[in-house]
Amino acid sequence: MTAFVRRRFDAWLEKRSPPCSHVELNQRRIFIIPSRGGAAYLVMLLGLLILAINYQNNLIFALTFWLLSLLLVAILHTFANLSGITLRAGVAEPVFAGQLASFHLHLEAGGRDRHRLYLGFTEQAAVTCSLDAKKGGSSVILKYPALKRGAMRPSRMTITTRYPLGILRCWSAPKLDWHCLVYPKARLLRPLVNSAAEGEGSIPDISRDGDEFTGFQLYQPGQPPRRIFWKAYAKGQVLQTKQFEQSQSDELILDWNELDGLGVEERLSTLCAWALDCNTRGLSFGLQMPGVKISAASGGDQLTRILRALALY
């Protein structure tokens, strides 16, 4: 029954407050109910009223109606603390799957000070802020877990206040038109092949055609057989390997087909790890996968293009 009521309320709320880039809170979008403290306050008023009627005590009657008037005034002040605030969706920086996405929210005070506002997404930790009318507004960052890669849209946010007495909960649940790009989680499940990188690590040390020959060195276990100087070895000399200085013009293509045996998400995670590694090493790299082909280049813009392609695949 609780789940059914929740679904019906969410559907009604979706019609009443559809997604938008900015929203001004008014009586159509604001709800107010007693808090837990407010429920106890109402029970106390009921007890005082019964006590006053039973004993016909005018002093208890006066106290009861005075406390009731405080509740009525608190309703107006609590509602006014939220009414008129304008919320604007800001940017959301791309993140990797498994991280917390940061959504920037801009608030405009609307001509009056606002006190003790609690903002956050459903089932996430709330952020507390107050607004100064002289400054015009403020900005906060709301966190939301990015569980899957792709274009993520967070759930509804809530803005709540219990000012001034704490016996009433005034809240709104607008749905701002936010979206965040979530990159695949980087996992190096296969070593990078056909790399122009030089050095140690998971990327093999393989020479490419067109590299400049620089000399020989003694063979070290694990070096590729294609580098061994077989002619000298055939003449009885010690086993040596040819050394090359790789050209800066070498280009590396991260190929989907090199990852046979892995699932789609595993391939994307490995390609993501390869792209990050190539960018760290300053290599020129591109991407080839079904329906996507990005020519080789280097730099942060190239990394962003490739990560975006992987996220939206």
Side-chain angles (χ1 to χ4, degrees):
M1 178 62 69
T2 302
F4 172 76
V5 172
R6 182 66 184 179
R7 287 196 301 269
R8 294 298 299 269
F9 177 75
D10 289 342
W12 173 79
L13 197 60
E14 193 71 23
K15 295 180 180 179
R16 189 177 182 88
S17 181
C20 53
S21 59
H22 69 279
V23 61
E24 181 179 351
L25 303 183
N26 52 33
Q27 67 274 14
R28 180 178 176 82
R29 294 186 171 91
I30 295 177
F31 309 93
I32 185 167
I33 57 175
S35 63
R36 291 183 179 180
Y41 189 86
L42 291 175
V43 171
M44 181 192 68
L45 288 180
L46 180 61
L48 287 175
L49 181 61
I50 294 175
L51 189 65
I53 293 174
N54 184 59
Y55 289 100
Q56 293 294 310
N57 190 308
N58 292 332
L59 184 59
I60 300 179
F61 271 119
L63 177 62
T64 302
F65 293 130
W66 178 70
L67 293 176
L68 178 61
S69 66
L70 285 182
L71 175 63
L72 298 178
V73 172
I75 292 175
L76 298 177
H77 282 278
T78 306
F79 175 83
N81 193 46
L82 213 58
S83 179
I85 296 177
T86 300
L87 307 176
R88 298 185 184 276
V91 299
E93 297 87 356
V95 295
F96 292 92
Q99 296 180 341
L100 287 175
S102 298
F103 294 89
H104 292 256
L105 175 65
H106 307 292
L107 301 96
E108 298 177 6
R112 70 166 70 100
D113 293 341
R114 314 289 180 159
H115 307 277
R116 294 199 299 275
L117 304 176
Y118 302 91
L119 306 104
F121 294 107
T122 305
E123 299 180 356
Q124 303 300 319
V127 176
T128 306
C129 77
S130 298
L131 302 180
D132 189 342
K134 295 180 180 179
K135 296 181 179 179
S138 181
S139 297
V140 297
I141 297 178
L142 306 182
K143 300 291 186 178
Y144 193 80
L147 303 179
K148 291 184 177 181
R149 68 168 179 90
M152 181 187 70
R153 296 183 180 275
S155 62
R156 287 184 178 272
M157 63 160 291
T158 58
I159 175 171
T160 307
T161 183
R162 294 179 175 84
Y163 178 84
L165 299 181
I167 59 177
L168 296 163
R169 179 176 179 264
C170 188
W171 61 281
S172 181
K175 190 170 185 179
L176 297 179
D177 191 16
W178 267 315
H179 66 274
C180 176
L181 194 61
V182 182
Y183 300 143
K185 184 177 181 179
R187 292 184 297 167
L188 191 61
L189 303 179
R190 295 278 178 85
L192 179 57
V193 297
N194 296 332
S195 172
E198 187 74 37
E200 299 178 353
S202 60
I203 300 180
D205 184 17
I206 300 176
S207 66
R208 302 169 58 113
D209 295 337
D211 289 346
E212 182 180 353
F213 175 73
T214 58
F216 298 96
Q217 74 171 17
L218 292 178
Y219 172 77
Q220 300 293 331
Q223 290 183 322
R226 62 178 295 182
R227 282 192 171 186
I228 297 176
F229 188 30
W230 294 109
K231 290 183 180 181
Y233 184 66
K235 294 178 181 180
Q237 299 179 14
V238 295
L239 198 59
Q240 303 178 74
T241 57
K242 294 177 285 188
Q243 298 299 305
F244 297 87
E245 182 177 347
Q246 294 170 335
S247 171
Q248 294 300 319
S249 62
D250 283 341
E251 295 180 350
L252 175 64
I253 300 299
L254 310 180
D255 194 349
W256 173 278
N257 296 321
E258 296 288 344
L259 298 172
D260 292 336
L262 297 181
V264 173
E265 295 302 325
E266 293 173 333
R267 293 191 187 201
L268 294 173
S269 294
T270 302
L271 289 171
C272 179
W274 286 359
L276 293 172
D277 200 357
C278 289
N279 183 70
T280 301
R281 294 170 178 261
L283 299 177
S284 177
F285 60 101
L287 175 68
Q288 183 163 344
M289 55 194 299
V292 178
K293 186 174 183 179
I294 300 177
S295 57
S298 60
D301 292 340
Q302 174 72 352
L303 178 63
T304 300
R305 281 192 292 269
I306 290 180
L307 292 180
R308 180 179 179 85
L310 295 176
L312 298 179
Y313 179 75

